[in-house]
Structures are given as C-alpha cells and as structure tokens.
Amino acid sequence: MKLFQSLAALACSASVFSTASAQDAAGEARSLKLYDQVVFYDGYNDKVFDADKGDGILRHRNNLYALRLTDEQLAWFGSDLTLKVDIGALCDNYDRIGNVNIAFTPKGAESYDWQTTTRVELARFITPFMNMNRKPDVVPYSYVIDAASYIFRDSRLRSAYDFWLEFELFGIPYAANEQVKGCKDRNDVFDGTLTFESLSAPQHPVDNHVFVPIVIKRPEYQGNNLNNYSEGGTDEIGKCIKTWTFDVPEDVADARITFIISNHGANAGGEEYVRRLHRISVDGEVVMEYTPGGVSCEPYRRYNTQTNGIYSYIRPESFWKTYSNWCPGAAIPVRELNLGAVAKGTHTFTVEVPEAQFVDKQGDFPVSAYFQGLTDGQLPAGIYSPEAIEPDVHIDVEGDVLSWQSATPVREVVLYSASGKLLRIAPGEKGSMSLSQHEPGVYIVSIRCTDGTTATRKITR
C-alpha cells in the first residue's frame, strides 16, 4: 500500500509535453523487441526452469517472467504505442490465459516480490488449442495502447522507480504429454515474443501525467478474483459486485480508467459460456454497460490446430453470437472509461455482473484497472485492436483520397480523428474515400471486414 500511495503522489505536476506525428518516423514503425521466443514451462511445477540462463530475464515462476527496462529502452517510447505478442505452440494443447504487465520497484532492485509489488496489466489474451506439429504454430495478438506510452514517459515515476515489463502465460503439459507427438515427458508449454512498435519519434519525458494503479488480476492458480461466493471476490456474498477505492492526488483536466475483464469457469453451465450484462460504475454512478462476446470465432479456427469440441465443425454466426465470452486464440478487449475532468480526492471503481451464477462455486472474473489523467491537455484516443487476426488489407493515401484493397470483403470503413472523434463511415465496397473535407494531419482508419476481422491503421493526410 505504501508503494501504491507513493506512485500516486509522484505522478502529478503541471507542464505541457510535445508530440510528434507519424511523419516524424517517415511513415515507418520503429520497433523494440523485449522478449524473443522465450520459453514458458509447467505452471504447477515448483522448479523454475531456465532460472540461471543469464539472459537478463527474471523468472519468478515458470509462468511469470520480468525484464527490467533500461534508460535507453525507456527513452525509445513515442507518442503512439502498439503492443504485439506472438505465442508459439509447444507442449500445451489447451486454451490458456496470458497477459503483459508493468511492475514498479525501487531503483536498483535486482529482484522483487511480485505478490506485493505495485503492478498494472496492459493486455490479456487467450491461447488457441494448438498442436505443435501442425501449422500455423504461432498466433499473433496486437493492441493499440497509445495512452500507455504516458506511463513509460512519466518523468516522476522514472526518477523514483525501475520499470519491469512482465510477460505472463500459464500452461501445463499433462494432456499434451499423452496426446501430442514429441511431447512425452516434456515440461515446455509455449514460447512467446513481445515487441513494441511506434510510428512517432522518441518523445521527451512528461510531467503532467497522473497515474494511479487500481487493481490487478490474481493468477489462475490463486483465484479469488471477482465472483459471488468468496469473501475476497465480492462486496456481498451471493452478489457478483466488487468495489475498489483509489486516490487521485491532483485535479486533472482529462482522465480515463483503463480496464480488462474476462470470464472464466469451464464447468457445466459455467460462466465462461454464458454471456452476462456487465455494469461499470465510477463513484457510484453507472458509466458503462456491456455484454462481452457476441463475435464470430470462425476467424480463429485456423489457429486451433488441436482437435477440440469448440471447433469440431464450422458453425453459423448466430451460434457464435450466443456461445461464449471470448474465442480461443483471441485477445481480450482493453476497455476504457473516458471521464473528462476529475477532481483530486478519493474515488471508487465498481464492477457488477448482476446475473452471474458461478455454478458449484467455480470460476471467476479476473479484473485489472488503472487510472490516468493529465493536469492539462487531452489523452490520446483509445482505439484498440483486440482481434488476434487482421485481414489482408492494403491502405493507401494519395492526395485527398484514401483507398483500400482487401482479400476479404470489406463491410465498412470508419475514419476517426487522432483524438478518437468519429468522422466518417463509408461502405466497404466503394474502395475509396475522399479526405478533401478534412484538414491535413494524422487520422485513424478502421477497416471492418465481413468475416468479423478488423484492421486499424494510422494514416497521414
């Protein structure tokens, strides 16, 4: 708790930062690869494999690794940020949960206790059912997380703490030991690669950023996330509702809460398969209601190379709309609450799923959330790409015309301003859109295809 409070206290001041457009990088993305096919092992095995490998990676457990970012790496971050994760198949042929986090430790610490250290979750994903002997044997995930760049560029945080980028992926090899050729007696479950990309030039540190961690999910083997049956998982036994309190140390002109929730419980009638209304409140006022899932899982079929009940045969879109909260092989959406101006003081963040049942007291909803604000200025738009699969789309801007070509039919093309304001929606079959009515600058384009996949790009007019 002391570290939590000091993070909040250090995160505020009042100075304007400079920004750079995509043109600063000549339209080419810069990349920062931090993990390169790092191998994860049996999450239940107490022996930590590769602990002494000498590659600079701190291995807390076989499913949780950390890498301390250097000053040079922290200086890499620009005004926009995309996180890319590639997961390779080894000897776990089931769907598992993984995520990417930041941990904050005292300067110079060679290790830390991940269970007591302040951490925030940036992204979450679900692996497909994969047989390592079949192609494709790598599944990609991509997240546009521009606002998170402020965390890495926060001058007060950087002067007080080391930043550790955590790569977490729980897996077990026991089924694959029997079912997958070449996996007998093996403990390795997946490999993972993690890369940041930015279209902008490196930016100076900022000192007008207010950052407050709220909650980070507990791992699968510890449980006790949001539910309706455990003392630590709910505000009131019998109801699926949980409230977290956080302190904002200074008035902010623009603020948001970024949060991630996924639904788990694979038992008969479990919450994994039943779509429920989620109600999100801030300071006791409902600010968002949504029902997760409802998208087709067919685009992820190609990555589910291990025989399983979910992908036993091609299913109609009507089935997928009611089936589950997420797809094996998909990224879990990163959601945002845009709050506008927020006053200094104590606030609350509440998640309620009023109809959740948790049959046989099984399953839970892991919740992660953090608060960001600027003492002056506006946070960048929260345009995310939660899909693991992007369509094969080519986008071009020539003069005042935006054009697109896609191997998959395009349903619609959506144009946003750089701040996230919806500007235009064009029918996909047109193949082009005039930009003559818009000022020169950076825009965000979302290409939405008929098979449920989406490609999100930044363009410069």
Side-chain angles (χ1 to χ4, degrees):
M1 183 60 70
K2 289 182 179 179
L3 180 56
F4 174 91
Q5 293 170 339
S6 60
L7 275 169
L10 279 166
C12 59
S13 65
S15 165
V16 179
F17 66 96
S18 62
T19 60
S21 73
Q23 290 176 315
D24 292 328
E28 297 181 2
R30 300 180 297 111
S31 64
L32 176 64
K33 183 178 289 187
L34 295 170
Y35 291 89
D36 189 2
Q37 292 187 302
V38 60
V39 176
F40 294 90
Y41 295 91
D42 178 4
Y44 285 136
N45 196 319
D46 290 333
K47 176 184 177 182
V48 179
F49 297 91
D50 293 343
D52 300 321
K53 194 169 184 178
D55 55 2
I57 297 174
L58 173 61
R59 290 167 170 82
H60 292 289
R61 296 176 52 89
N62 288 322
N63 60 291
L64 177 60
Y65 300 162
L67 190 65
R68 180 166 48 193
L69 299 183
T70 65
D71 289 341
E72 181 181 11
Q73 289 167 337
L74 286 170
W76 174 92
F77 288 90
S79 57
D80 68 289
L81 187 62
T82 297
L83 169 62
K84 294 193 172 183
V85 177
D86 295 315
I87 300 300
L90 291 173
C91 289
D92 187 342
N93 55 345
Y94 272 72
D95 52 337
R96 309 295 183 188
I97 185 171
N99 47 287
V100 179
N101 316 312
I102 310 173
F104 304 89
T105 70
K107 284 282 190 179
E110 294 299 322
S111 184
Y112 62 94
D113 183 346
W114 63 271
Q115 298 193 80
T116 59
T117 295
T118 298
R119 303 152 69 228
V120 295
E121 182 180 8
L122 295 179
R124 186 182 304 177
F125 56 89
I126 307 292
T127 67
F129 294 83
M130 292 191 289
N131 184 320
M132 70 172 188
N133 301 306
R134 299 171 185 165
K135 301 292 184 180
D137 58 358
V138 176
V139 57
Y141 307 85
S142 181
Y143 311 79
V144 178
I145 51 172
D146 288 355
S149 68
Y150 281 81
I151 302 173
F152 295 102
R153 294 186 290 126
D154 189 312
S155 61
R156 302 295 298 275
L157 293 178
R158 281 168 51 170
S159 67
Y161 298 101
D162 281 340
F163 289 49
W164 294 73
L165 193 71
E166 296 183 340
F167 201 172
E168 185 172 6
L169 177 53
F170 183 88
I172 53 177
Y174 314 136
N177 290 156
E178 303 293 330
Q179 298 171 1
V180 178
K181 182 179 179 180
C183 282
K184 184 179 180 180
D185 298 326
R186 285 175 56 170
N187 287 299
D188 51 332
V189 290
F190 300 101
D191 69 50
T193 298
L194 190 156
T195 306
F196 284 119
E197 290 187 354
S198 179
L199 285 171
S200 66
Q203 297 292 287
H204 294 299
V206 299
D207 55 9
N208 64 334
H209 180 234
V210 177
F211 171 63
V212 186
I214 299 174
V215 60
I216 187 168
K217 76 173 187 69
R218 295 176 67 82
E220 177 179 333
Y221 54 87
Q222 289 188 342
N224 209 28
N225 291 290
L226 175 65
N227 58 55
N228 69 357
Y229 56 85
S230 67
E231 185 175 342
T234 178
D235 293 342
E236 181 179 348
I237 297 297
K239 294 184 178 181
C240 183
I241 183 170
K242 182 73 174 178
T243 299
W244 292 271
T245 299
F246 62 98
D247 293 318
V248 176
E250 185 172 335
D251 291 349
V252 294
D254 189 40
R256 73 175 47 148
I257 292 175
T258 300
F259 69 98
I260 305 174
I261 304 175
S262 53
N263 308 74
H264 303 273
N267 54 309
E271 293 301 313
E272 193 166 302
Y273 307 114
V274 185
R275 301 179 62 230
R276 312 279 195 191
L277 173 71
H278 289 50
R279 183 173 295 134
I280 313 297
S281 302
V282 176
D283 296 338
E285 179 180 349
V286 177
V287 293
M288 178 185 289
E289 289 186 336
Y290 71 94
T291 300
V295 298
S296 174
C297 291
E298 284 301 322
Y300 306 96
R301 178 180 294 277
R302 73 187 76 172
Y303 293 107
N304 284 265
T305 56
Q306 170 68 42
T307 302
N308 62 85
I310 297 175
Y311 286 100
S312 54
Y313 56 89
I314 295 177
R315 302 174 188 266
E317 187 172 339
S318 59
F319 169 84
W320 293 119
K321 284 185 177 180
T322 61
Y323 173 69
S324 185
N325 291 283
W326 42 261
C327 305
I332 298 298
V334 180
R335 293 183 167 89
E336 291 183 332
L337 306 174
N338 293 304
L339 306 177
V342 171
K344 173 184 177 180
T346 300
H347 298 272
T348 59
F349 170 72
T350 303
V351 179
E352 181 182 10
V353 189
E355 296 182 355
Q357 296 180 12
F358 299 101
V359 175
D360 298 327
K361 295 185 177 180
Q362 294 187 42
D364 63 7
F365 301 161
V367 179
S368 291
Y370 59 87
F371 173 95
Q372 284 181 277
L374 296 180
T375 55
D376 55 274
Q378 187 174 19
L379 288 164
I383 305 298
Y384 292 95
S385 301
E387 293 80 11
I389 303 167
E390 282 197 354
D392 183 10
V393 172
H394 175 73
I395 300 173
D396 186 52
V397 178
E398 185 170 350
D400 293 333
V401 178
L402 165 69
S403 61
W404 57 87
Q405 294 179 330
S406 173
T408 303
V410 177
R411 185 177 75 251
E412 62 185 10
V413 175
V414 185
L415 181 69
Y416 299 90
S417 70
S419 64
K421 181 181 179 181
L422 175 63
L423 300 176
R424 301 269 299 283
I425 300 178
E429 64 269 16
K430 283 190 172 183
S432 65
M433 173 194 296
S434 173
L435 302 176
S436 59
Q437 68 190 82
H438 304 292
E439 296 293 327
V442 178
Y443 295 87
I444 298 169
V445 177
S446 182
I447 308 291
R448 301 173 179 177
C449 294
T450 56
D451 65 355
T453 57
T454 300
T456 302
R457 301 283 191 272
K458 289 187 178 181
I459 64 168
T460 302
R461 177 190 179 281

